[in-house]
Amino acid sequence: MAQPTKRQRIWGWMFFDWAQQPYATLGLTFIFGPYFAAVAADYFLAQGAGSDAAKAGAQSLWSSAQTVAGLAIAFSAPLLGAWADATGRKRPWFWLFTGVAIAAACSLWMLQPDGTGLYFVLALFWLGFVASESAFNLNNAILPSLGTPTEVGRISGTATAFGYWGGVLSLFLMLLFFAENETGKTLIGLSPAFGLDPEAREGTRFVGPFIGLWFALFLIPFFMWNRDDPLERKTPESVRRVLSDLRGYVGNVWHRKSCRSFLLSSLFYRDALTALYAYGGIYATLVLDWKVIQVGVFGIVAAIAAAVLSWAGGLADQRFGPKTVIRLCIWILILVSTIIVGMSRENLFGIPLAEGSAVPDVIFYICGAAIGGAGGALYSASRSMMVRHCDPLRPAEGFGLFALAGKATAFLAPAMITVFTYTTQSNQLGFLPVIGLFLLGLILLVWVNPEGERPE
């Protein structure tokens, strides 16, 4: 069978972003996450907890599961990348991880409005998230082979934007035809499609099977146009040899000032960004009392901004380099985080708001656009910067360390948010650690070479 052309490989690679995006957009942030938070809060309330304690418990339960999932991704990614480089085979891992992610996504249907299946479905969601992110990390390792270091910024930005447009479309479909509001109707006043029962929240729960079907369908172009090169396949080495090579590679990275600084910087700012993504919808649900439909509209605004600004960020990356894009995006996200900490339904930085004021809603919609746009451009520029720092002969291993940097402290933001939330009994003040993590990432960027640093 003939190998795909470069154009086909690029398009196939971009389709992975399109296929995977709803797991984050619909699952993590805008549909399932807020639904889980509302169900968990009601469940704890029914168990006798006070209103504030129930909301804090719901947020803490979500953050604890995210911590475990992040650690699993962090410490498996470098070994997985090293093994993929050592054998020259990534395709079997893609089949395994995407299969697990699709099955786990479909299982979200089982979370009932009364809390039945709460812990079981939570575990399955994060299992699927681990599998989805593991496949995504391997997909990132394909990027260096798709263009020159200058070209990959534009390719990465275009792929990120393409993925976000997939998120926009999937979110539109969920809101228009499935996710119901308190009256049992969708955004356009329809009953949930396929006769789904709004009383049992079946329209919202359909988000799980929807994510699974979307993932399976749009993986087809990826598998068609991205195949392992038979010439690069190698005899599998022993685990001991792979671990030994990995230790040597990590040691070499530690002695490269720019690469070390970039990985440490991204460790902090990507952890903070993940927290914003994970808790944006939950914040809207627990602090602003938004319903699923409102959170979904918020998600559309954020995803459209992400699609447009990720593409623009890719062009800026190609012209000015990824470091400039990363720095600007972090400053935007610090501003947004500060607003989140200082705003509630009743006041804005201590200034009382009229009862029923739309000011918090309008401001948070703007924040959603900023989070989506700056977050998308930030991630796109970050993987472009990683291309400038990884060994062209060992890209999966390099991006495994990139994944480790993004998840090694995955426990940090959720754990700090949990501690601050419980200590202050405030969902807003629980976000304070996020600002500190962004600032640490910004400081460490000072020692990063804009042109990157190849191993000697």
Side-chain angles (χ1 to χ4, degrees):
M1 183 180 295
Q3 286 293 311
T5 65
K6 180 179 177 180
R7 182 179 293 273
Q8 287 175 325
R9 291 187 66 230
I10 290 174
W11 271 104
W13 183 78
M14 291 198 303
F15 259 104
F16 192 93
D17 280 50
W18 176 281
Q20 190 219 25
Q21 185 61 37
Y23 206 108
T25 302
L26 303 184
L28 181 65
T29 308
F30 298 117
I31 300 292
F32 180 73
Y35 172 65
F36 178 89
V39 169
D42 287 344
Y43 177 80
F44 291 135
L45 198 62
Q47 298 297 311
S51 177
D52 290 341
K55 291 180 179 180
Q59 181 166 296
S60 298
L61 179 61
W62 186 259
S63 64
S64 299
Q66 183 186 10
T67 299
V68 174
L71 290 173
I73 295 167
F75 294 105
S76 63
L79 180 59
L80 175 62
W83 186 266
D85 282 336
T87 61
R89 301 192 68 190
K90 300 183 184 70
R91 195 174 177 88
W93 294 106
F94 280 119
W95 282 111
L96 172 64
F97 289 134
T98 56
V100 171
I102 290 167
C106 291
S107 73
L108 304 185
W109 168 265
M110 295 186 290
L111 179 58
Q112 304 284 343
D114 63 0
T116 300
L118 183 72
Y119 292 98
F120 181 61
V121 172
L122 178 69
L124 288 175
F125 173 80
W126 288 106
L127 173 65
F129 184 81
V130 169
S132 176
E133 287 294 300
S134 296
F136 188 62
N137 292 334
L138 285 177
N139 186 58
N140 282 342
I142 298 172
L143 177 59
S145 69
L146 300 178
T148 66
T150 301
E151 292 172 333
V152 295
R154 174 178 49 80
I155 295 171
S156 177
T158 302
T160 303
F162 186 57
Y164 276 116
W165 281 121
V168 170
L169 178 59
S170 64
L171 192 51
F172 259 123
L173 293 175
M174 274 298 302
L175 293 175
L176 295 180
F177 301 110
F178 298 102
E180 64 279 287
N181 57 27
E182 60 274 10
T183 66
K185 301 296 183 181
T186 68
L187 182 64
I188 54 176
L190 299 177
S191 297
F194 306 138
L196 297 172
D197 183 6
E199 291 293 326
R201 300 301 301 276
E202 289 184 350
T204 298
R205 290 160 49 201
F206 185 70
V207 67
F210 184 94
I211 292 170
L213 291 169
W214 181 285
F215 210 160
L217 176 63
F218 292 111
L219 277 174
I220 294 173
F222 171 78
F223 280 114
M224 285 177 56
W225 293 330
N226 275 282
R227 299 194 291 270
D228 292 331
D229 188 341
L231 299 178
E232 294 181 359
R233 292 185 182 179
K234 308 165 190 175
T235 302
E237 302 182 50
S238 68
V239 173
R240 181 179 298 178
R241 173 66 181 276
V242 171
L243 288 174
S244 177
D245 286 350
L246 179 59
R247 281 194 297 269
Y249 186 82
V250 172
N252 177 263
V253 165
W254 186 252
H255 290 94
R256 293 160 52 201
K257 181 179 178 181
S258 178
C259 187
R260 180 183 69 235
S261 299
F262 170 63
L263 289 174
L264 287 173
S265 173
S266 71
L267 179 149
F268 292 113
Y269 72 67
R270 287 164 61 201
D271 193 23
L273 178 60
T274 300
L276 276 181
Y277 283 152
Y279 299 113
I282 292 176
Y283 173 91
T285 301
L286 300 180
V287 176
L288 301 182
D289 298 320
W290 283 11
K291 305 305 180 186
V292 169
I293 295 294
Q294 289 173 287
V295 175
V297 173
F298 170 81
I300 289 174
V301 172
I304 290 176
V308 173
L309 294 182
S310 294
W311 172 77
L315 298 181
D317 183 323
Q318 187 168 20
R319 182 171 181 180
F320 302 109
K323 182 176 178 178
T324 299
V325 176
I326 291 171
R327 184 185 291 118
L328 175 61
C329 290
I330 291 177
W331 276 117
I332 293 172
L333 293 168
I334 288 173
L335 176 61
V336 169
S337 300
T338 302
I339 292 172
I340 288 175
V341 168
M343 184 178 71
S344 70
R345 174 59 67 190
E346 294 79 25
N347 66 78
L348 177 63
F349 294 106
I351 302 172
L353 298 173
E355 185 176 351
S357 172
V359 170
D361 303 309
V362 173
I363 290 177
F364 201 58
Y365 276 121
I366 296 172
C367 287
I371 292 171
L378 179 61
Y379 187 78
S380 172
S382 296
R383 64 181 177 185
S384 171
M385 179 61 84
M386 189 61 216
V387 170
R388 289 163 166 78
H389 285 89
C390 72
D391 185 342
L393 299 178
R394 303 170 76 171
E397 199 165 40
F399 272 94
L401 290 180
F402 180 65
L404 174 63
K407 299 294 183 182
T409 56
F411 65 90
L412 191 58
M416 292 174 74
I417 288 172
T418 300
V419 170
F420 272 65
T421 301
Y422 265 122
T423 302
T424 64
Q425 287 294 292
S426 167
N427 293 88
Q428 303 100 282
L429 294 179
F431 273 84
L432 277 172
V434 173
I435 298 173
L437 293 173
F438 276 130
L439 288 172
L440 279 173
L442 198 61
I443 292 169
L444 287 164
L445 273 179
V446 171
W447 292 279
V448 177
N449 184 344
E451 301 303 319
E453 181 183 48
R454 296 288 189 181
E456 298 179 358

